[in-house]
């Protein structure tokens, strides 16, 4: 308080003049003629200080600093007249002429300093603003700008592009947003923080018919589904570590979210089926769901009821993962293991019906299964030539449709 309040500087400078002579012995009173001007200044200053102090206390409130100023002003106002009475006394008669003249000169000087110092204190105590604690300096950097609140819309997602800059100062920079049809899509979260603090793109998945998208909402941190009709939340607010993988798995109606557990949402009825322990959803159609847990491959119906199961064989290091294809009527499951063998199972009984190793022309080999054609044949694609073949699941014979 003593260093931030300018009043105390004036008080310290003038206090000696105001209080030094208060304890002098009382004598005969006489005001020197040349001291009367200072006395009038003191009286006017004191009167002005009293009026101003009353006004400030009434209109600005009795703060602790203001009350302290007022108390000091009152003490000074009482001390100055007392000191002036004692300084005004004439010198003693027995004093020599030189002593008399010296004492008169000192008295006049002291009287002048007394009135001027007292006037300075009462006026500064009333008019100077009480000191305030110093403001904490703002940091050199500024907080990131808030993202725009508007919500982008679409009828079809013809093209989309992910964000390209995980660490930037300007949080609303265009490189921090998903782009849909070439325009910023501000409601989709750009990144989530993974293990070790490394950012990775937040999920953004387009439906096969391009009419819907599933993404992590930037503001609510929910997984949401959006189409031309609006936005539908799929989850509660999620921590980054709990954000799931989203997939349509080749169809438009059902959306799968998988992390430590999975849930399947029907976008026509908005009913949700939880699948405890499911770590990945491999196939999904109107007849069933194929998922893997830590130890099993499960084929389920859309109520989550198990239809069949197989032991889950985790691929060796650097080997391709097994893939799973469920027939649209749900009656057959085809498993392609390590891009080599093709196994077919009856989902009703769980029995393996066939195991074949397709032989492709030249040095080519199996890449992935593409599901069933409209004619009912199982389609596969070769790795080197990208050619699509029909595969006989019972014999392993390959043929291409003639144009």
């Amino acid at each position: 308080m003593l260093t931030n309040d300018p009043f105390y500087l004036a008080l310290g400078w003038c206090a000696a003049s105001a209080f030094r002579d208060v304890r002098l012995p009382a004598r005969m009173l006489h005001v020197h003629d040349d001291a009367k001007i200072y006395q009038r200044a003191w009286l006017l200053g004191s009167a002005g200080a009293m009026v101003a102090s009353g006004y400030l206390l009434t209109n600005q409130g009795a703060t602790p600093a203001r009350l302290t100023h007022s108390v000091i002003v009152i003490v000074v106002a009482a001390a100055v007249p007392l000191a002036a009475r004692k300084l005004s006394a004439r010198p003693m008669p027995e004093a020599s002429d030189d002593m008399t003249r010296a004492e008169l000169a000192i008295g006049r000087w002291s009287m002048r300093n007394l009135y001027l110092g007292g006037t300075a204190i009462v006026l500064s105590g009333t008019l100077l603003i009480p000191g305030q604690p110093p403001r904490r300096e703002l940091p050199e950097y500024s907080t990131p700008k808030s993202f725009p609140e508007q919500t982008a819309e679409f009828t079809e997602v013809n093209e989309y592009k992910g964000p390209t800059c995980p660490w930037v100062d300007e949080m609303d920079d265009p490189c921090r947003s998903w782009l849909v049809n070439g325009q910023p899509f501000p409601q989709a979260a750009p990144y989530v923080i993974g293990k070790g603090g490394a950012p990775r793109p937040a999920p953004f998945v387009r439906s096969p018919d391009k009419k819907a998208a599933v993404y992590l909402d930037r503001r609510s941190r929910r997984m949401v589904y959006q189409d031309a009709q609006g936005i539908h939340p799929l989850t509660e607010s999620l921590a980054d570590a709990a954000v799931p993988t989203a997939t349509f798995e080749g169809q438009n109606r059902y959306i799968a979210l998988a992390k430590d557990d999975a849930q399947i949402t029907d976008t026509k009825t908005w009913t949700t089926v939880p699948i405890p322990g499911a770590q990945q959803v491999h196939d999904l159609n109107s007849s069933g769901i194929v998922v893997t847990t830590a130890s099993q491959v499960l084929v389920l119906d859309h109520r989550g009821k198990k239809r069949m199961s197989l032991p889950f064989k985790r691929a060796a290091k650097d080997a391709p993962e097994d893939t799973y294809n469920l027939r649209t009527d749900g009656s057959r499951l085809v498993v392609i293991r390590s891009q080599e063998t093709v196994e077919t199972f009856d989902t009703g009984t769980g029995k393996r019906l066939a195991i074949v190793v397709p032989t492709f022309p030249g040095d080519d080999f199996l890449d992935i299964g593409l599901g069933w054609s409209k004619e009912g044949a199982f389609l596969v694609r070769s790795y080197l030539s990208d050619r699509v073949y029909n595969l006989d699941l019972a014999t392993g014979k390959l043929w291409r449709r003639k144009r």
Side-chain angles (χ1 to χ4, degrees):
M1 180 174 67
L2 294 177
T3 57
N4 296 314
D5 193 335
F7 165 65
Y8 294 101
L9 296 177
L11 177 63
W13 186 265
C14 302
S17 297
F19 294 99
R20 182 187 58 192
D21 299 318
V22 172
R23 300 186 64 181
L24 285 176
R27 299 176 183 175
M28 295 291 294
L29 301 181
H30 175 73
V31 179
H32 301 285
D33 293 336
D34 56 355
K36 290 182 178 180
I37 187 172
Y38 302 115
Q39 184 184 41
R40 293 190 189 99
W42 155 253
L43 293 175
L44 289 174
S46 299
M50 291 177 62
V51 173
S53 181
Y55 174 81
L56 292 173
L57 288 173
T58 302
N59 289 273
Q60 297 183 7
T63 63
R66 184 69 69 186
L67 287 174
T68 303
H69 284 205
S70 299
V71 170
I72 294 174
V73 168
I74 291 171
V75 172
V76 171
V80 168
L82 178 60
R85 290 177 62 190
K86 297 183 177 184
L87 280 173
S88 301
R90 292 182 182 276
M92 293 182 296
E94 65 270 19
S96 66
D97 290 340
D98 292 340
M99 182 65 70
T100 299
R101 286 194 296 270
E103 187 171 350
L104 286 172
I106 293 172
R108 292 188 187 98
W109 182 261
S110 298
M111 185 75 72
R112 184 174 74 91
N113 289 345
L114 170 65
Y115 283 131
L116 290 179
T119 303
I121 291 173
V122 296
L123 288 178
S124 62
T126 303
L127 301 179
L128 292 181
I129 299 173
Q132 301 294 328
R135 282 185 164 181
R136 191 175 70 178
E137 294 184 2
L138 294 176
E140 294 181 359
Y141 60 88
S142 59
T143 57
K145 296 180 181 178
S146 60
F147 291 104
E149 293 296 326
Q150 70 268 20
T151 299
E153 299 178 351
F154 58 81
T155 54
E156 286 190 358
V157 181
N158 296 313
E159 61 179 14
Y160 63 98
K161 183 179 179 181
T164 58
C165 50
W167 301 117
V168 292
D169 294 331
E170 297 294 335
M171 295 296 288
D172 58 353
D173 192 289
C175 68
R176 290 281 300 179
S177 295
W178 286 89
L179 299 180
V180 172
N181 300 331
Q183 298 298 320
F185 199 71
Q187 62 263 39
Y191 291 93
V192 293
I193 304 300
K195 292 182 178 179
R200 58 183 175 86
F204 188 101
V205 180
R206 179 181 64 177
S207 63
D209 63 3
K210 302 182 180 180
K211 294 183 178 180
V214 173
Y215 56 86
L216 178 68
D217 185 82
R218 189 196 301 254
R219 293 181 286 272
S220 69
R221 309 303 290 182
R222 292 180 169 190
M223 293 295 295
V224 299
Y225 173 98
Q226 181 174 344
D227 57 15
Q229 282 68 49
I231 297 176
H232 303 271
L234 301 174
T235 68
E236 297 298 324
S237 180
L238 300 170
D240 282 12
V243 173
T245 300
T247 179
F248 283 91
E249 288 298 340
Q251 47 76 54
N252 302 303
R253 178 171 177 175
Y254 300 96
I255 179 69
L257 303 176
K259 184 68 174 176
D260 298 323
D261 300 308
Q263 75 172 41
I264 309 298
T265 301
D266 185 338
T267 61
K268 300 297 182 183
T269 64
W270 299 110
T271 56
T272 297
V273 176
I275 308 175
Q279 299 177 352
Q280 187 174 355
V281 178
H282 295 276
D283 203 355
L284 179 61
N285 60 38
S286 57
S287 299
I289 308 162
V290 181
V291 302
T292 53
T293 67
S295 59
Q296 289 183 306
V297 180
L298 301 177
V299 179
L300 312 168
D301 63 18
H302 278 285
R303 295 171 298 177
K305 183 179 179 180
K306 184 171 70 175
R307 298 178 60 188
M308 68 165 286
S309 65
L310 297 171
F312 175 54
K313 299 178 181 179
R314 193 170 297 278
K317 186 177 181 180
D318 298 328
E321 296 285 343
D322 295 348
T323 60
Y324 307 88
N325 295 268
L326 184 65
R327 192 169 177 173
T328 53
D329 63 4
S331 63
R332 297 290 185 270
L333 174 68
V334 173
V335 182
I336 300 178
R337 301 194 185 278
S338 301
Q339 295 180 309
E340 293 181 357
T341 62
V342 181
E343 301 180 22
T344 305
F345 295 87
D346 184 322
T347 57
T349 63
K351 180 180 178 181
R352 186 169 65 187
L353 302 178
I355 176 170
V356 297
V357 179
T359 302
F360 290 82
D363 295 330
D364 216 345
F365 56 93
L366 177 61
D367 183 14
I368 60 171
L370 301 175
W372 282 262
S373 68
K374 294 181 179 178
E375 292 76 21
F378 188 75
L379 304 176
V380 295
R381 186 176 66 198
S382 63
Y383 184 83
L384 297 178
S385 65
D386 284 337
R387 290 179 177 177
V388 177
Y389 294 85
N390 296 302
L391 172 64
D392 187 324
L393 295 173
T395 64
K397 180 181 177 182
L398 295 170
W399 77 95
R400 299 192 68 199
R401 182 179 178 181
K402 294 182 180 180
R403 297 183 178 179

